mmCIF file with all atom_site columns, all heavy atoms in Angstrom:
data_model
loop_
_atom_site.group_PDB
_atom_site.id
_atom_site.type_symbol
_atom_site.label_atom_id
_atom_site.label_alt_id
_atom_site.label_comp_id
_atom_site.label_asym_id
_atom_site.label_entity_id
_atom_site.label_seq_id
_atom_site.pdbx_PDB_ins_code
_atom_site.Cartn_x
_atom_site.Cartn_y
_atom_site.Cartn_z
_atom_site.occupancy
_atom_site.B_iso_or_equiv
_atom_site.pdbx_formal_charge
_atom_site.auth_seq_id
_atom_site.auth_comp_id
_atom_site.auth_asym_id
_atom_site.auth_atom_id
_atom_site.pdbx_PDB_model_num
ATOM 1   N N   . GLU A 1 6  ? -24.647 -28.452 29.127 1.00 55.00 ? 1271 GLU A N   1
ATOM 2   C CA  . GLU A 1 6  ? -23.298 -28.828 29.497 1.00 55.00 ? 1271 GLU A CA  1
ATOM 3   C C   . GLU A 1 6  ? -22.471 -28.346 28.394 1.00 55.00 ? 1271 GLU A C   1
ATOM 4   O O   . GLU A 1 6  ? -21.277 -27.792 28.837 1.00 55.00 ? 1271 GLU A O   1
ATOM 5   C CB  . GLU A 1 6  ? -23.224 -30.285 29.629 1.00 55.00 ? 1271 GLU A CB  1
ATOM 6   C CG  . GLU A 1 6  ? -23.978 -30.797 30.928 1.00 55.00 ? 1271 GLU A CG  1
ATOM 7   C CD  . GLU A 1 6  ? -23.883 -32.363 31.066 1.00 55.00 ? 1271 GLU A CD  1
ATOM 8   O OE1 . GLU A 1 6  ? -23.608 -33.014 30.039 1.00 55.00 ? 1271 GLU A OE1 1
ATOM 9   O OE2 . GLU A 1 6  ? -24.184 -32.842 32.009 1.00 55.00 ? 1271 GLU A OE2 1
ATOM 10  N N   . GLU A 1 7  ? -22.775 -28.492 27.139 1.00 58.00 ? 1272 GLU A N   1
ATOM 11  C CA  . GLU A 1 7  ? -21.916 -28.069 26.013 1.00 58.00 ? 1272 GLU A CA  1
ATOM 12  C C   . GLU A 1 7  ? -21.655 -26.551 26.053 1.00 58.00 ? 1272 GLU A C   1
ATOM 13  O O   . GLU A 1 7  ? -20.609 -26.123 25.850 1.00 58.00 ? 1272 GLU A O   1
ATOM 14  C CB  . GLU A 1 7  ? -22.489 -28.536 24.782 1.00 58.00 ? 1272 GLU A CB  1
ATOM 15  C CG  . GLU A 1 7  ? -22.402 -30.039 24.484 1.00 58.00 ? 1272 GLU A CG  1
ATOM 16  C CD  . GLU A 1 7  ? -23.138 -30.438 23.188 1.00 58.00 ? 1272 GLU A CD  1
ATOM 17  O OE1 . GLU A 1 7  ? -23.813 -29.686 22.635 1.00 58.00 ? 1272 GLU A OE1 1
ATOM 18  O OE2 . GLU A 1 7  ? -22.952 -31.541 22.813 1.00 58.00 ? 1272 GLU A OE2 1
ATOM 19  N N   . GLU A 1 8  ? -22.728 -25.832 26.448 1.00 56.00 ? 1273 GLU A N   1
ATOM 20  C CA  . GLU A 1 8  ? -22.718 -24.326 26.398 1.00 56.00 ? 1273 GLU A CA  1
ATOM 21  C C   . GLU A 1 8  ? -21.678 -23.930 27.616 1.00 56.00 ? 1273 GLU A C   1
ATOM 22  O O   . GLU A 1 8  ? -20.918 -23.024 27.321 1.00 56.00 ? 1273 GLU A O   1
ATOM 23  C CB  . GLU A 1 8  ? -24.123 -23.741 26.660 1.00 56.00 ? 1273 GLU A CB  1
ATOM 24  C CG  . GLU A 1 8  ? -24.907 -23.802 25.423 1.00 56.00 ? 1273 GLU A CG  1
ATOM 25  C CD  . GLU A 1 8  ? -26.354 -23.182 25.747 1.00 56.00 ? 1273 GLU A CD  1
ATOM 26  O OE1 . GLU A 1 8  ? -26.467 -22.557 26.831 1.00 56.00 ? 1273 GLU A OE1 1
ATOM 27  O OE2 . GLU A 1 8  ? -27.066 -23.276 24.893 1.00 56.00 ? 1273 GLU A OE2 1
ATOM 28  N N   . VAL A 1 9  ? -21.799 -24.535 28.666 1.00 48.00 ? 1274 VAL A N   1
ATOM 29  C CA  . VAL A 1 9  ? -20.909 -24.194 29.915 1.00 48.00 ? 1274 VAL A CA  1
ATOM 30  C C   . VAL A 1 9  ? -19.469 -24.590 29.458 1.00 48.00 ? 1274 VAL A C   1
ATOM 31  O O   . VAL A 1 9  ? -18.535 -23.866 29.755 1.00 48.00 ? 1274 VAL A O   1
ATOM 32  C CB  . VAL A 1 9  ? -21.322 -24.965 31.114 1.00 48.00 ? 1274 VAL A CB  1
ATOM 33  C CG1 . VAL A 1 9  ? -20.270 -24.855 32.176 1.00 48.00 ? 1274 VAL A CG1 1
ATOM 34  C CG2 . VAL A 1 9  ? -22.671 -24.494 31.563 1.00 48.00 ? 1274 VAL A CG2 1
ATOM 35  N N   . GLU A 1 10 ? -19.308 -25.672 28.810 1.00 53.00 ? 1275 GLU A N   1
ATOM 36  C CA  . GLU A 1 10 ? -18.007 -26.086 28.340 1.00 53.00 ? 1275 GLU A CA  1
ATOM 37  C C   . GLU A 1 10 ? -17.488 -25.110 27.383 1.00 53.00 ? 1275 GLU A C   1
ATOM 38  O O   . GLU A 1 10 ? -16.249 -24.710 27.554 1.00 53.00 ? 1275 GLU A O   1
ATOM 39  C CB  . GLU A 1 10 ? -18.019 -27.547 27.616 1.00 53.00 ? 1275 GLU A CB  1
ATOM 40  C CG  . GLU A 1 10 ? -17.189 -28.526 28.257 1.00 53.00 ? 1275 GLU A CG  1
ATOM 41  C CD  . GLU A 1 10 ? -17.378 -29.844 27.567 1.00 53.00 ? 1275 GLU A CD  1
ATOM 42  O OE1 . GLU A 1 10 ? -17.781 -29.951 26.424 1.00 53.00 ? 1275 GLU A OE1 1
ATOM 43  O OE2 . GLU A 1 10 ? -17.081 -30.935 28.303 1.00 53.00 ? 1275 GLU A OE2 1
ATOM 44  N N   . GLU A 1 11 ? -18.195 -24.610 26.445 1.00 55.00 ? 1276 GLU A N   1
ATOM 45  C CA  . GLU A 1 11 ? -17.740 -23.631 25.454 1.00 55.00 ? 1276 GLU A CA  1
ATOM 46  C C   . GLU A 1 11 ? -17.332 -22.254 26.150 1.00 55.00 ? 1276 GLU A C   1
ATOM 47  O O   . GLU A 1 11 ? -16.252 -21.844 25.838 1.00 55.00 ? 1276 GLU A O   1
ATOM 48  C CB  . GLU A 1 11 ? -18.824 -23.438 24.444 1.00 55.00 ? 1276 GLU A CB  1
ATOM 49  C CG  . GLU A 1 11 ? -18.425 -22.532 23.336 1.00 55.00 ? 1276 GLU A CG  1
ATOM 50  C CD  . GLU A 1 11 ? -17.239 -23.075 22.474 1.00 55.00 ? 1276 GLU A CD  1
ATOM 51  O OE1 . GLU A 1 11 ? -17.430 -24.323 22.217 1.00 55.00 ? 1276 GLU A OE1 1
ATOM 52  O OE2 . GLU A 1 11 ? -16.455 -22.361 22.064 1.00 55.00 ? 1276 GLU A OE2 1
ATOM 53  N N   . GLU A 1 12 ? -18.099 -21.821 27.140 1.00 53.00 ? 1277 GLU A N   1
ATOM 54  C CA  . GLU A 1 12 ? -17.822 -20.706 27.841 1.00 53.00 ? 1277 GLU A CA  1
ATOM 55  C C   . GLU A 1 12 ? -16.563 -20.758 28.656 1.00 53.00 ? 1277 GLU A C   1
ATOM 56  O O   . GLU A 1 12 ? -15.747 -19.825 28.673 1.00 53.00 ? 1277 GLU A O   1
ATOM 57  C CB  . GLU A 1 12 ? -18.929 -20.294 28.785 1.00 53.00 ? 1277 GLU A CB  1
ATOM 58  C CG  . GLU A 1 12 ? -20.229 -19.780 28.079 1.00 53.00 ? 1277 GLU A CG  1
ATOM 59  C CD  . GLU A 1 12 ? -21.304 -19.547 29.055 1.00 53.00 ? 1277 GLU A CD  1
ATOM 60  O OE1 . GLU A 1 12 ? -21.133 -19.604 30.228 1.00 53.00 ? 1277 GLU A OE1 1
ATOM 61  O OE2 . GLU A 1 12 ? -22.494 -19.319 28.555 1.00 53.00 ? 1277 GLU A OE2 1
ATOM 62  N N   . THR A 1 13 ? -16.387 -21.983 29.180 1.00 50.00 ? 1278 THR A N   1
ATOM 63  C CA  . THR A 1 13 ? -15.232 -22.175 30.084 1.00 50.00 ? 1278 THR A CA  1
ATOM 64  C C   . THR A 1 13 ? -13.939 -22.163 29.184 1.00 50.00 ? 1278 THR A C   1
ATOM 65  O O   . THR A 1 13 ? -12.898 -21.578 29.539 1.00 50.00 ? 1278 THR A O   1
ATOM 66  C CB  . THR A 1 13 ? -15.298 -23.568 30.725 1.00 50.00 ? 1278 THR A CB  1
ATOM 67  O OG1 . THR A 1 13 ? -16.507 -23.613 31.607 1.00 50.00 ? 1278 THR A OG1 1
ATOM 68  C CG2 . THR A 1 13 ? -14.093 -23.797 31.672 1.00 50.00 ? 1278 THR A CG2 1
ATOM 69  N N   . ARG A 1 14 ? -14.095 -22.853 27.940 1.00 57.00 ? 1279 ARG A N   1
ATOM 70  C CA  . ARG A 1 14 ? -12.931 -22.842 26.992 1.00 57.00 ? 1279 ARG A CA  1
ATOM 71  C C   . ARG A 1 14 ? -12.535 -21.411 26.668 1.00 57.00 ? 1279 ARG A C   1
ATOM 72  O O   . ARG A 1 14 ? -11.448 -21.090 26.511 1.00 57.00 ? 1279 ARG A O   1
ATOM 73  C CB  . ARG A 1 14 ? -13.206 -23.672 25.818 1.00 57.00 ? 1279 ARG A CB  1
ATOM 74  C CG  . ARG A 1 14 ? -13.070 -25.158 26.080 1.00 57.00 ? 1279 ARG A CG  1
ATOM 75  C CD  . ARG A 1 14 ? -12.919 -25.848 24.692 1.00 57.00 ? 1279 ARG A CD  1
ATOM 76  N NE  . ARG A 1 14 ? -14.020 -25.677 23.922 1.00 57.00 ? 1279 ARG A NE  1
ATOM 77  C CZ  . ARG A 1 14 ? -15.190 -26.470 23.890 1.00 57.00 ? 1279 ARG A CZ  1
ATOM 78  N NH1 . ARG A 1 14 ? -15.227 -27.498 24.664 1.00 57.00 ? 1279 ARG A NH1 1
ATOM 79  N NH2 . ARG A 1 14 ? -16.219 -26.288 23.040 1.00 57.00 ? 1279 ARG A NH2 1
ATOM 80  N N   . GLY A 1 15 ? -13.594 -20.564 26.413 1.00 58.00 ? 1280 GLY A N   1
ATOM 81  C CA  . GLY A 1 15 ? -13.379 -19.277 26.093 1.00 58.00 ? 1280 GLY A CA  1
ATOM 82  C C   . GLY A 1 15 ? -12.656 -18.501 27.079 1.00 58.00 ? 1280 GLY A C   1
ATOM 83  O O   . GLY A 1 15 ? -11.606 -17.724 26.845 1.00 58.00 ? 1280 GLY A O   1
ATOM 84  N N   . GLU A 1 16 ? -13.020 -18.635 28.433 1.00 70.00 ? 1281 GLU A N   1
ATOM 85  C CA  . GLU A 1 16 ? -12.387 -18.084 29.508 1.00 70.00 ? 1281 GLU A CA  1
ATOM 86  C C   . GLU A 1 16 ? -10.884 -18.455 29.687 1.00 70.00 ? 1281 GLU A C   1
ATOM 87  O O   . GLU A 1 16 ? -9.973  -17.747 29.813 1.00 70.00 ? 1281 GLU A O   1
ATOM 88  C CB  . GLU A 1 16 ? -13.104 -18.237 30.747 1.00 70.00 ? 1281 GLU A CB  1
ATOM 89  C CG  . GLU A 1 16 ? -14.445 -17.544 30.770 1.00 70.00 ? 1281 GLU A CG  1
ATOM 90  C CD  . GLU A 1 16 ? -15.206 -17.869 31.944 1.00 70.00 ? 1281 GLU A CD  1
ATOM 91  O OE1 . GLU A 1 16 ? -14.767 -18.656 32.819 1.00 70.00 ? 1281 GLU A OE1 1
ATOM 92  O OE2 . GLU A 1 16 ? -16.432 -17.374 32.058 1.00 70.00 ? 1281 GLU A OE2 1
ATOM 93  N N   . VAL A 1 17 ? -10.736 -19.785 29.484 1.00 83.00 ? 1282 VAL A N   1
ATOM 94  C CA  . VAL A 1 17 ? -9.376  -20.370 29.708 1.00 83.00 ? 1282 VAL A CA  1
ATOM 95  C C   . VAL A 1 17 ? -8.440  -19.925 28.649 1.00 83.00 ? 1282 VAL A C   1
ATOM 96  O O   . VAL A 1 17 ? -7.263  -19.586 28.765 1.00 83.00 ? 1282 VAL A O   1
ATOM 97  C CB  . VAL A 1 17 ? -9.470  -21.951 29.546 1.00 83.00 ? 1282 VAL A CB  1
ATOM 98  C CG1 . VAL A 1 17 ? -8.020  -22.607 29.488 1.00 83.00 ? 1282 VAL A CG1 1
ATOM 99  C CG2 . VAL A 1 17 ? -10.184 -22.554 30.850 1.00 83.00 ? 1282 VAL A CG2 1
ATOM 100 N N   . ASN A 1 18 ? -8.998  -19.724 27.331 1.00 85.00 ? 1283 ASN A N   1
ATOM 101 C CA  . ASN A 1 18 ? -8.099  -19.338 26.347 1.00 85.00 ? 1283 ASN A CA  1
ATOM 102 C C   . ASN A 1 18 ? -7.980  -17.856 26.027 1.00 85.00 ? 1283 ASN A C   1
ATOM 103 O O   . ASN A 1 18 ? -7.257  -17.392 25.169 1.00 85.00 ? 1283 ASN A O   1
ATOM 104 C CB  . ASN A 1 18 ? -8.606  -19.993 24.864 1.00 85.00 ? 1283 ASN A CB  1
ATOM 105 C CG  . ASN A 1 18 ? -8.327  -21.409 24.828 1.00 85.00 ? 1283 ASN A CG  1
ATOM 106 O OD1 . ASN A 1 18 ? -7.217  -21.800 25.282 1.00 85.00 ? 1283 ASN A OD1 1
ATOM 107 N ND2 . ASN A 1 18 ? -9.246  -22.143 24.257 1.00 85.00 ? 1283 ASN A ND2 1
ATOM 108 N N   . ALA A 1 19 ? -8.656  -17.030 26.783 1.00 85.00 ? 1284 ALA A N   1
ATOM 109 C CA  . ALA A 1 19 ? -8.623  -15.594 26.706 1.00 85.00 ? 1284 ALA A CA  1
ATOM 110 C C   . ALA A 1 19 ? -7.120  -15.043 26.691 1.00 85.00 ? 1284 ALA A C   1
ATOM 111 O O   . ALA A 1 19 ? -6.793  -14.225 25.895 1.00 85.00 ? 1284 ALA A O   1
ATOM 112 C CB  . ALA A 1 19 ? -9.455  -14.979 27.725 1.00 85.00 ? 1284 ALA A CB  1
#
Side-chain angles (χ1 to χ4, degrees):
E1271 289 176 349
E1272 288 176 350
E1273 286 178 10
V1274 170
E1275 234 176 25
E1276 184 64 38
E1277 288 176 9
T1278 304
R1279 278 200 300 273
E1281 290 172 5
V1282 169
N1283 285 326

